[in-house]
Amino acid sequence: MSEKAWIIFQPSGRRGEVAKGISILEASQQLGVDIETLCGGRRICGKCKVRIEEGYFEKFGIDSRKHHAGAWQEEEGKFITSAQREEGYRLGCCARVEGDILVFVPEESRAGKQVVSKAARDIPIEWDPAVKYYYVEVSKPTLERPTGDLERLLEELIARHGLNRLNIDYRCLISLPDRLREEEGRVTAAVWMDKEIIRILPGEHTNSYGIAIDVGTTTMAAYLCNLVTMEVVKTVSMMNPQCKYGEDVMSRITYHVTNEDGLQKMNADIIEAINSLVARACERTYPPQENDKDTDKDGYPCLAPTDIMDMTIVGNTAMHHILLNLNPEYMGTAPFPPVVHKSLDIKARDMGIVINESAYVHVLPNEAGFVGADNVGVLIAEEPYKKEEMQLIIDIGTNGELVLGNKEKLISSSCATGPAFEGAQIAFGMRAAPGAIERITIDGDTHEVDYKVIGRDAWRSYSKSEEMQTKGMCGSGIFDLFAELYRYGVILKSGRFNPQQKSNRYRKNSETNQPEFVIAWAEETSIGRDIVITQKDIRQIQLAKGAVYSGCKLMMRRMGIDKVNVVKIAGAFGTHVDPEKALIMGLFPDCEIKRIVSVGNAAGDGARAALLNRTKRQEADWVSRNVRYLELTVEKDFQHQFVEALQIPHMSDSFPHLKGIVSAEILNKK
Amino acid sequence: MSEKAWIIFQPSGRRGEVAKGISILEASQQLGVDIETLCGGRRICGKCKVRIEEGYFEKFGIDSRKHHAGAWQEEEGKFITSAQREEGYRLGCCARVEGDILVFVPEESRAGKQVVSKAARDIPIEWDPAVKYYYVEVSKPTLERPTGDLERLLEELIARHGLNRLNIDYRCLISLPDRLREEEGRVTAAVWMDKEIIRILPGEHTNSYGIAIDVGTTTMAAYLCNLVTMEVVKTVSMMNPQCKYGEDVMSRITYHVTNEDGLQKMNADIIEAINSLVARACERTYPPQENDKDTDKDGYPCLAPTDIMDMTIVGNTAMHHILLNLNPEYMGTAPFPPVVHKSLDIKARDMGIVINESAYVHVLPNEAGFVGADNVGVLIAEEPYKKEEMQLIIDIGTNGELVLGNKEKLISSSCATGPAFEGAQIAFGMRAAPGAIERITIDGDTHEVDYKVIGRDAWRSYSKSEEMQTKGMCGSGIFDLFAELYRYGVILKSGRFNPQQKSNRYRKNSETNQPEFVIAWAEETSIGRDIVITQKDIRQIQLAKGAVYSGCKLMMRRMGIDKVNVVKIAGAFGTHVDPEKALIMGLFPDCEIKRIVSVGNAAGDGARAALLNRTKRQEADWVSRNVRYLELTVEKDFQHQFVEALQIPHMSDSFPHLKGIVSAEILNKK
């Protein structure tokens, strides 16, 4: 394992450990910080200016020094004045991470893209990838034994590595005779599942690469991994290009049903997106050894998409079907049967995916029509089936997927959260992008609001109005807001606004005659209007949280339990959710706050686990068959439970862990 | 099995049993008789005029009647006058085989193509094809059990047919959801090797189809088979389009080595040829049941290439490599290692072959660099490894492949016969096409010559000179001639012309000063020159026969035997070889004449056996590994044996079976 250093980006606060020696630009890409670059890191556009902060930062426990960013490069002089250089300015593509550093990304260098937070977490995975490299030295044929090339190779693979009964992919076979003679019979064979040879490389190679893909309804992420060291070499993400066909899975299915070539188009888009993720992951990614001969435009050795030997994919059932060109029509109507549950190994070339041409793509299994391979990914990453404690896992994307259980039993269900948690159908909702409110606090006494937006480190109260440039609210801001509104009595348990308000932020909209509450005044925004939350917005959030809460309750009832030991919140925005706020708003039944954890993009972690460990694939197939799917809508009492859950009915006795966080007065109010 | 009738075509003499009810045109195609047709049998070009002969033909044991050709069709009146009708003229596309018939094909209706004689023989094959159909009724999903489409199908296939552990091809999976709903869950699954579903057909189907392909260096043949009844539905053949790159395998390999895109071009040609063979085999081939919904241009149901569920291919090692895009360079130079020996199952779509898109192509295994899958085909068709008797199998194409052995042991070798036996490198040699001399006799007393040509039934002695239109000599004519020249003392044992000649046919060529012997006088030919055999030609034939004979001897020595029980002559021209003549010319050591048999295109029979019986595939793999390949050129004594074999050293004691056929005087002459 190479040496690592901490890097923290301001103002976003994103941080992580990265390999020493990579550029700050590369580190920003790995951590999902968007720094502007036009030339792609080739030192010619000068857009990626950053400032290295000098000093010891107690809050983070790091000592950032200018020289930790490596030697000054000649090219930087073209874009950075000597005064700026004095201040610590560098080009992100030139400066390297050579020790812990705190990097400030000035506004002008920030790319305006959505902040996709799908960075890979450290989860323990045992090494046993589906694709492994085997080095052999194959003897030449003789007149006495003029044995075929393949047979001589297979003999060596048996003799040296005990690999019996190997097949070879047809395309790989085509390359064999020449590869075998390039270095006098010395070759490395890439073998899939100890069954099939999928690449012949001349000479001895040790590092191989695979990529795990998470196809979310809204965002897609790819984790390029070294299959030997198991390191995540690079993380890249992008919007799912299918978004243009509709925000949620049902609208995508509808697009297919109402357009003759709908499926074909959406499929082509997603395949193109995967190919572009792969290409971006490989771009300027340098393999650690010199045997790899591909070079980039400047002649440096770099990875090519065809060097990727394996791919795993997770996604919800609809994404899974569209990705595989499988008709999603039937899974969209009751009783919602998917085309296929079990995991699939498909030749990348049959899907149009451009990696090593003989490679397989492993698509994880689906549980049910609305609990897909993404949830299976969450399960194999979190492994509730190996624990005694009763876990509740909530994976909130555009659709909510719930799992409850432990090693004895697992049940799953899905609930129609709708897109409210992602900012859609909310008057001033937006995606997690610069300018979106991601944190909100309300003062209990005055009902004054403080908040921070993505892309700006300083909170409202520490900024001038015009510095905020606020655009709207994203999911985590909505969570915060709803909890705070309830906690301090701005809204009542029913969700209606409290007629007794303490600030001038509460008002009736003159046009709609609807009550609303101002979060940001016009002068703080970049849109020139007050950003408000309306009574209707609150209803939408109630519908979403009610769906999750009632789902949890029904599952617990079915399981015969009245409390859970652990709550895990997964999803693209899982990393941002404040556990306390989620508990206050009543997203799920009571739980000890320190046992509510955000597990981030656990689905992606599961894809990575399946990439690096083949037993995880079996585990995924096993778990997909052994999770009992509960169709909530046919549960007795469903309607009643759902309506109840719309309210915020926390009683101090049913939510003991809210004591001291929310006042007894609020909790016990009727 | 449908009823059959005998059909004999004159003047070619080609005959065979065909299914009653097919048109005479179809029968001609099955038997390799080329009748001209421009419209492809659509009754609009009138080119396929034939004459039905009336009467009992003792020679053939058939009673041919005009009404055996079915009812007169209105369309025939456009092309056939009433006088012609009286004589028995019909259109080949309208007249049907309804009983035994003798059909005369007038000169004007004969297509001038090579006579490819690759008709399928009846060999006993047990029914166990790789692809079988299984009918199931799949239940609908319910809210209680919203199981996936594939899982419900697999459950039924297990419950009804015991097919455990089935996979499904990805392309087939794509079709599943819609196919499953077309007839309310009633589907027929085509399953390959009890392992993989390769097609879903709505409703119940029983008849499935496969095709066996023989890729010869010069000609290609395809046998379309019903995989249920095992009938050969249609046989089609064509020239190998690679001929334009060179006549023999070495010139093809050279073309690859000397042209950058040589392999690519030859591969594209052969794939295109296979696709065209498949299309022609399906053309106007009607499935016996009405469920199959594809229709031809006229709206009749017919087979489509995508209805072909399985394909097997044989070919020599060079054809095998070119077909599979495998570099043939190394197998062309010592020690001649092929890229691969073992059989391969490759997705048709990966090869560019257009049949059912999920189907596999099974390519039979190679024995060695110069003993390929075609020879393996011969072996599994003839099964010498199941017999006590010692068999010698000689497969003569452009290359000679020899197998010797029985159930105890098998050895093979290849010998460079060169193309002399196929008419190349012989002054007046030509392919087996109309105008080629295919039979020759010489009068022992006068040394006068009588012969017959392909495309004309009457021998020279029964024809006027100008009727012969002779063009040259093909392989079987060359065999005959060489045997006759020796038998009657026109040439001596050394191969040199006997100075004592009895006719004016022997002369010295005025230009070359070489001795030569006239076979056909200029007035009998269409080329306006005497057709002769030169001393140089005789040398070429000696080289070819010497290669085979010495190969046989060396193999027998290695086997420790001095006589064989059975000699089988296989090859495209095997059907034409006269066993007696082959023995006289010394192609192989002595054998009882009635135990010398022509087995025709045994390689194609082997491909068909592998198509209809999966055990034959295992047998092929087994035999390819267990035939010991003998590289003749490194055998002790090879040179000496070969030089000896160039002569025609028959002694009455070493060739007891020639007694009474060749005079003692000739046999024992020094």
Side-chain angles (χ1 to χ4, degrees):
Chain A
M1 303 275 274
S2 59
E3 269 192 83
K4 301 217 157 193
W6 274 95
I7 184 164
I8 299 167
F9 287 95
Q10 297 288 50
S12 68
R14 265 170 231 291
R15 75 197 72 177
E17 256 188 320
V18 297
K20 274 190 185 174
I22 67 170
S23 73
I24 286 180
L25 188 62
E26 285 164 334
S28 74
Q29 286 159 351
Q30 288 183 15
L31 296 172
V33 174
D34 278 304
I35 295 182
E36 193 75 46
T37 170
L38 300 180
C39 70
R42 293 169 56 217
R43 307 180 171 194
I44 50 179
C45 77
K47 291 289 174 197
C48 58
K49 255 177 259 178
V50 296
R51 196 175 67 226
I52 312 300
E53 303 288 352
E54 187 93 30
Y56 181 75
F57 298 87
E58 197 159 4
K59 183 177 165 197
F60 310 120
I62 71 161
D63 189 4
S64 173
R65 297 291 152 194
K66 282 180 191 169
H67 70 264
H68 285 179
W72 176 261
Q73 304 291 308
E74 205 186 317
E75 294 96 327
E76 295 176 273
K78 290 188 209 154
F79 307 103
I80 295 169
T81 63
S82 46
Q84 285 178 321
R85 185 174 170 183
E86 275 296 308
E87 282 178 71
Y89 277 93
R90 299 291 303 270
L91 288 189
C93 57
C94 293
R96 312 220 148 255
V97 183
E98 298 191 352
D100 294 352
I101 37 177
L102 182 70
V103 178
F104 180 78
V105 185
E107 172 83 28
E108 54 176 0
S109 302
R110 286 174 222 158
K113 299 173 202 156
Q114 170 161 27
V115 180
V116 175
S117 135
K118 294 203 165 185
R121 274 188 314 147
D122 266 343
I123 55 167
I125 305 170
E126 222 172 289
W127 185 82
D128 190 15
V131 175
K132 291 178 187 167
Y133 275 8
Y134 295 95
Y135 172 70
V136 286
E137 293 171 7
V138 179
S139 61
K140 289 182 183 163
T142 60
L143 272 172
E144 289 66 42
R145 282 199 82 229
T147 316
D149 294 347
L150 177 62
E151 279 73 16
R152 298 199 318 283
L153 171 66
L154 293 178
E155 271 172 24
E156 278 305 313
L157 285 166
I158 292 171
R160 274 235 214 177
H161 303 288
L163 292 161
N164 286 297
R165 297 170 168 278
L166 279 188
N167 273 316
I168 187 164
D169 178 73
Y170 171 47
R171 298 284 178 94
C172 185
L173 177 65
I174 291 175
S175 77
L176 175 63
D178 293 330
R179 294 279 168 287
L180 204 54
R181 284 160 180 88
E182 252 172 80
E183 301 209 11
E184 302 201 308
R186 297 185 298 110
V187 292
T188 301
V191 176
W192 177 79
M193 295 296 273
D194 293 342
K195 279 183 196 162
E196 186 178 320
I197 303 171
I198 58 163
R199 181 88 173 254
I200 303 291
L201 300 153
E204 188 164 5
H205 294 253
T206 45
N207 282 285
S208 59
Y209 298 88
I211 197 161
I213 308 264
D214 169 25
V215 182
T217 309
T218 308
T219 60
M220 299 170 64
Y223 308 97
L224 175 62
C225 299
N226 182 316
L227 296 180
V228 178
T229 64
M230 298 174 73
E231 278 173 306
V232 177
V233 179
K234 204 160 178 184
T235 300
V236 290
S237 58
M238 65 186 289
M239 297 288 295
N240 185 332
Q242 291 178 359
C243 287
K244 57 178 172 276
Y245 307 114
E247 292 272 333
D248 57 25
V249 297
M250 282 313 296
S251 57
R252 308 268 170 90
I253 294 173
T254 305
Y255 183 80
H256 155 62
V257 173
T258 52
N259 290 273
E260 207 181 319
D261 59 351
L263 176 58
Q264 212 177 321
K265 269 189 186 167
M266 291 191 288
N267 172 262
D269 274 351
I270 209 159
I271 296 296
E272 195 189 320
I274 288 177
N275 285 337
S276 107
L277 279 176
V278 169
R280 276 176 48 210
C282 290
E283 234 167 55
R284 302 187 73 79
T285 297
Y286 306 101
Q289 55 174 34
E290 293 183 11
N291 276 357
D292 298 278
K293 298 217 184 59
D294 291 306
T295 56
D296 64 12
K297 290 170 218 150
D298 307 321
Y300 294 104
C302 67
L303 280 185
T306 51
D307 292 329
I308 309 293
M309 295 292 151
D310 201 10
M311 180 183 277
T312 54
I313 306 190
V314 296
N316 62 51
T317 311
M319 291 307 106
H320 170 282
H321 279 40
I322 293 168
L323 167 77
L324 294 178
N325 233 328
L326 299 176
N327 187 343
E329 182 180 346
Y330 310 113
M331 61 143 289
T333 49
F336 317 108
V339 172
V340 54
H341 293 280
K342 71 189 195 102
S343 65
L344 298 167
D345 291 301
I346 302 172
K347 284 281 169 192
R349 62 176 181 253
D350 282 342
M351 296 174 68
I353 289 177
V354 183
I355 53 175
N356 169 41
E357 63 172 356
S358 300
Y360 282 95
V361 171
H362 180 82
V363 184
L364 273 81
N366 293 313
E367 285 167 43
F370 283 102
V371 190
D374 52 349
N375 197 249
V376 173
V378 171
L379 288 172
I380 63 168
E382 299 306 323
E383 303 181 332
Y385 46 81
K386 290 186 181 171
K387 308 277 165 60
E388 293 278 358
E389 61 194 18
M390 190 57 73
Q391 294 194 14
L392 174 63
I393 305 176
I394 304 173
D395 189 3
I396 306 180
T398 315
N399 206 47
E401 291 166 5
L402 310 173
V403 177
L404 176 68
N406 60 8
K407 61 193 264 191
E408 304 295 334
K409 191 181 178 184
L410 278 177
I411 57 177
S412 71
S413 69
S414 75
C415 53
T417 48
F421 287 152
E422 299 193 299
Q425 293 178 9
I426 300 291
F428 289 87
M430 66 176 285
R431 294 210 183 108
I437 298 173
E438 59 169 350
R439 285 277 165 263
I440 299 180
T441 61
I442 292 181
D443 185 287
D445 296 326
T446 63
H447 288 186
E448 256 317 288
V449 173
D450 198 4
Y451 65 88
K452 90 168 274 305
V453 296
I454 294 176
R456 181 174 172 80
D457 203 32
W459 283 64
R460 167 69 189 91
S461 54
Y462 292 91
S463 311
K464 293 178 190 157
S465 298
E466 65 272 23
E467 287 174 340
M468 294 309 291
Q469 296 292 314
T470 310
K471 285 182 185 153
M473 284 177 284
C474 69
S476 56
I478 291 166
F479 264 82
D480 270 18
L481 176 60
F482 192 87
E484 293 283 289
L485 290 173
Y486 167 68
R487 182 186 198 171
Y488 296 115
V490 180
I491 59 171
L492 302 173
K493 289 195 169 192
S494 64
R496 278 188 300 113
F497 279 107
N498 189 343
Q500 295 156 18
Q501 296 284 341
K502 294 178 178 173
S503 79
N504 61 346
R505 287 176 179 267
Y506 177 74
R507 68 191 185 194
K508 278 213 172 160
N509 185 296
S510 53
E511 280 175 38
T512 62
N513 205 30
Q514 281 268 321
E516 61 188 27
F517 187 87
V518 181
I519 315 299
W521 300 106
E523 63 264 26
E524 302 160 17
T525 73
S526 63
I527 57 175
R529 282 184 294 154
D530 295 346
I531 289 171
V532 304
I533 184 152
T534 69
Q535 185 67 66
K536 191 162 151 272
D537 291 342
I538 304 245
R539 287 283 166 227
Q540 290 296 330
I541 300 163
Q542 277 181 287
L543 286 170
K545 86 103 196 166
V548 176
Y549 186 87
S550 60
C552 295
K553 286 293 271 187
L554 288 167
M555 288 174 78
M556 287 166 70
R557 186 176 75 186
R558 181 57 81 104
M559 191 67 96
I561 57 172
D562 57 9
K563 74 184 293 294
V564 294
N565 305 113
V566 175
V567 174
K568 289 179 171 171
I569 306 173
F573 83 117
T575 40
H576 301 297
V577 170
D578 180 333
E580 190 179 288
K581 301 279 170 70
L583 182 64
I584 295 173
M585 79 177 292
L587 190 64
F588 41 80
D590 190 59
C591 184
E592 197 181 343
I593 285 179
K594 69 170 195 212
R595 307 218 63 192
I596 304 169
V597 285
S598 282
V599 293
N601 184 20
D605 292 334
R608 205 156 44 89
L611 182 69
L612 298 170
N613 182 300
R614 62 182 79 174
T615 313
K616 281 291 185 185
R617 300 183 180 191
Q618 292 171 18
E619 226 173 271
D621 270 318
W622 174 86
V623 79
S624 73
R625 286 193 309 269
N626 287 282
V627 175
R628 170 87 200 266
Y629 178 70
L630 203 64
E631 178 55 50
L632 294 174
T633 55
V634 298
E635 281 293 285
K636 173 176 151 287
D637 221 20
F638 166 75
Q639 208 56 36
H640 173 72
Q641 290 279 349
F642 177 63
V643 172
E644 282 239 311
L646 292 179
Q647 307 226 352
I648 318 166
H650 306 314
M651 297 301 174
S652 55
D653 51 352
S654 63
F655 277 84
H657 291 106
L658 282 180
K659 263 187 201 155
I661 296 172
V662 183
S663 70
E665 187 198 353
I666 296 281
L667 280 181
N668 295 324
K669 196 182 264 178
K670 284 281 170 191
Chain B
M1 303 277 271
S2 60
E3 268 190 87
K4 300 216 159 193
W6 274 95
I7 183 165
I8 298 167
F9 288 94
Q10 297 287 53
S12 69
R14 266 171 227 291
R15 73 197 71 177
E17 257 187 315
V18 298
K20 276 190 185 176
I22 67 171
S23 73
I24 286 179
L25 190 60
E26 285 163 335
S28 74
Q29 286 158 353
Q30 286 183 15
L31 296 173
V33 174
D34 279 303
I35 295 181
E36 192 78 87
T37 171
L38 299 180
C39 70
R42 292 167 60 216
R43 306 181 173 196
I44 49 179
C45 77
K47 291 290 174 196
C48 60
K49 254 178 259 178
V50 296
R51 194 175 70 225
I52 312 300
E53 302 289 352
E54 186 96 28
Y56 181 75
F57 298 87
E58 198 159 2
K59 182 177 165 197
F60 309 121
I62 71 160
D63 190 5
S64 174
R65 298 291 154 195
K66 283 181 191 170
H67 70 264
H68 284 178
W72 177 261
Q73 304 290 310
E74 204 186 317
E75 294 97 323
E76 293 175 274
K78 289 187 208 156
F79 306 103
I80 293 169
T81 64
S82 45
Q84 286 178 320
R85 185 176 171 182
E86 274 297 307
E87 281 177 69
Y89 278 93
R90 298 291 304 270
L91 287 188
C93 57
C94 293
R96 313 221 146 254
V97 183
E98 297 192 351
D100 294 352
I101 35 177
L102 182 71
V103 178
F104 180 77
V105 185
E107 172 83 28
E108 54 175 359
S109 301
R110 286 174 222 158
K113 298 173 202 157
Q114 170 162 27
V115 180
V116 176
S117 138
K118 294 205 166 184
R121 273 188 316 146
D122 266 345
I123 56 167
I125 305 170
E126 223 172 288
W127 184 82
D128 190 16
V131 174
K132 291 177 185 168
Y133 275 10
Y134 295 96
Y135 172 71
V136 286
E137 293 171 6
V138 179
S139 61
K140 289 183 183 161
T142 61
L143 272 172
E144 289 67 39
R145 284 200 81 229
T147 314
D149 294 346
L150 177 62
E151 278 73 14
R152 297 198 319 284
L153 171 65
L154 292 179
E155 271 172 25
E156 279 304 314
L157 285 167
I158 292 170
R160 274 235 213 176
H161 303 287
L163 291 162
N164 288 296
R165 297 169 169 279
L166 277 188
N167 272 316
I168 187 166
D169 178 73
Y170 171 47
R171 299 283 179 93
C172 185
L173 177 66
I174 291 175
S175 77
L176 176 65
D178 293 331
R179 294 282 168 284
L180 203 56
R181 284 158 181 90
E182 251 172 80
E183 300 210 10
E184 301 200 309
R186 297 186 298 110
V187 291
T188 301
V191 176
W192 177 79
M193 296 295 273
D194 293 343
K195 279 184 194 161
E196 185 177 321
I197 303 170
I198 57 163
R199 180 88 172 253
I200 303 290
L201 299 153
E204 188 165 4
H205 294 252
T206 45
N207 281 286
S208 59
Y209 299 88
I211 198 161
I213 308 263
D214 170 24
V215 181
T217 310
T218 308
T219 61
M220 299 172 64
Y223 308 97
L224 175 63
C225 299
N226 182 315
L227 295 180
V228 178
T229 64
M230 299 173 72
E231 277 173 305
V232 176
V233 179
K234 205 164 181 181
T235 300
V236 288
S237 59
M238 66 187 289
M239 297 288 296
N240 186 331
Q242 291 178 359
C243 287
K244 57 178 172 277
Y245 307 114
E247 291 274 332
D248 56 24
V249 298
M250 282 313 297
S251 56
R252 309 268 170 89
I253 295 174
T254 304
Y255 183 80
H256 156 63
V257 173
T258 54
N259 290 273
E260 207 182 320
D261 59 349
L263 177 58
Q264 213 177 321
K265 268 189 185 167
M266 291 191 288
N267 173 261
D269 274 349
I270 210 160
I271 296 298
E272 196 190 320
I274 288 177
N275 285 337
S276 108
L277 279 175
V278 169
R280 277 176 49 208
C282 290
E283 232 169 54
R284 301 188 73 79
T285 296
Y286 306 100
Q289 55 173 31
E290 293 184 11
N291 276 358
D292 297 277
K293 297 215 184 61
D294 292 306
T295 55
D296 63 14
K297 290 170 218 152
D298 306 323
Y300 295 104
C302 67
L303 281 186
T306 51
D307 292 328
I308 309 293
M309 294 293 151
D310 200 10
M311 180 183 278
T312 53
I313 305 190
V314 296
N316 62 51
T317 311
M319 292 307 105
H320 170 284
H321 280 40
I322 294 169
L323 166 78
L324 294 178
N325 233 327
L326 301 176
N327 188 344
E329 184 181 344
Y330 311 112
M331 60 144 289
T333 48
F336 317 108
V339 173
V340 55
H341 293 280
K342 70 190 198 105
S343 66
L344 298 167
D345 292 303
I346 302 172
K347 286 281 171 193
R349 62 176 181 255
D350 281 341
M351 295 175 67
I353 289 177
V354 183
I355 55 175
N356 169 43
E357 63 172 356
S358 300
Y360 282 94
V361 171
H362 180 81
V363 184
L364 273 81
N366 293 312
E367 286 166 43
F370 283 100
V371 190
D374 52 349
N375 196 249
V376 173
V378 170
L379 286 172
I380 64 169
E382 299 306 322
E383 303 180 333
Y385 45 80
K386 289 185 180 171
K387 309 277 164 60
E388 294 278 358
E389 60 193 17
M390 191 57 72
Q391 295 194 14
L392 174 64
I393 304 176
I394 304 173
D395 190 1
I396 305 180
T398 313
N399 206 46
E401 290 166 6
L402 309 173
V403 177
L404 176 67
N406 61 8
K407 62 193 266 192
E408 304 297 332
K409 191 180 179 186
L410 278 177
I411 57 176
S412 72
S413 69
S414 75
C415 52
T417 48
F421 286 153
E422 300 191 300
Q425 294 178 8
I426 299 291
F428 289 88
M430 65 177 286
R431 291 208 185 110
I437 297 173
E438 59 170 349
R439 285 275 165 265
I440 299 180
T441 59
I442 292 181
D443 185 287
D445 294 327
T446 63
H447 288 186
E448 256 316 289
V449 173
D450 198 4
Y451 66 86
K452 91 168 272 305
V453 296
I454 294 175
R456 179 172 174 81
D457 203 31
W459 283 62
R460 166 68 191 92
S461 54
Y462 292 92
S463 310
K464 292 179 194 156
S465 296
E466 65 272 23
E467 285 174 342
M468 294 310 292
Q469 296 293 312
T470 309
K471 285 182 188 152
M473 283 177 285
C474 71
S476 57
I478 291 167
F479 265 81
D480 271 17
L481 177 59
F482 192 86
E484 293 284 287
L485 289 175
Y486 167 69
R487 183 187 201 171
Y488 296 116
V490 179
I491 58 171
L492 302 173
K493 289 194 168 191
S494 64
R496 278 189 297 115
F497 280 107
N498 189 341
Q500 295 154 16
Q501 296 284 341
K502 294 179 181 172
S503 79
N504 62 344
R505 288 178 178 264
Y506 177 74
R507 68 189 185 195
K508 278 211 172 162
N509 185 294
S510 53
E511 279 176 40
T512 62
N513 205 31
Q514 281 270 320
E516 60 188 27
F517 188 86
V518 181
I519 315 299
W521 299 105
E523 64 264 28
E524 301 159 17
T525 72
S526 65
I527 57 176
R529 282 185 293 154
D530 294 346
I531 289 172
V532 303
I533 182 148
T534 68
Q535 185 66 66
K536 191 163 152 269
D537 292 342
I538 302 231
R539 288 283 166 225
Q540 290 295 330
I541 301 164
Q542 278 181 286
L543 286 170
K545 87 103 196 163
V548 175
Y549 186 87
S550 60
C552 295
K553 286 292 271 188
L554 287 167
M555 288 173 80
M556 286 167 71
R557 184 176 76 186
R558 181 57 79 105
M559 192 67 97
I561 56 171
D562 56 8
K563 73 184 294 291
V564 295
N565 304 115
V566 174
V567 173
K568 289 178 170 172
I569 306 173
F573 84 119
T575 40
H576 300 298
V577 170
D578 180 334
E580 190 179 289
K581 301 280 170 66
L583 183 63
I584 295 173
M585 79 176 293
L587 190 64
F588 41 81
D590 189 59
C591 183
E592 199 182 341
I593 285 181
K594 70 172 196 208
R595 305 215 69 190
I596 303 169
V597 287
S598 281
V599 294
N601 184 21
D605 292 333
R608 205 155 44 87
L611 182 69
L612 298 169
N613 182 299
R614 60 181 81 173
T615 313
K616 281 292 186 185
R617 300 183 180 192
Q618 292 171 18
E619 227 173 271
D621 269 318
W622 175 85
V623 79
S624 74
R625 285 193 309 271
N626 286 282
V627 176
R628 171 88 201 266
Y629 177 68
L630 202 63
E631 178 54 49
L632 295 176
T633 54
V634 298
E635 281 293 285
K636 174 175 147 292
D637 220 20
F638 166 74
Q639 208 57 34
H640 172 71
Q641 290 279 348
F642 177 62
V643 171
E644 282 240 311
L646 293 179
Q647 308 225 351
I648 319 168
H650 305 315
M651 297 302 173
S652 57
D653 51 351
S654 64
F655 277 84
H657 292 106
L658 282 180
K659 264 185 202 157
I661 296 172
V662 182
S663 69
E665 186 199 353
I666 295 279
L667 282 179
N668 295 323
K669 194 183 266 176
K670 284 280 170 192

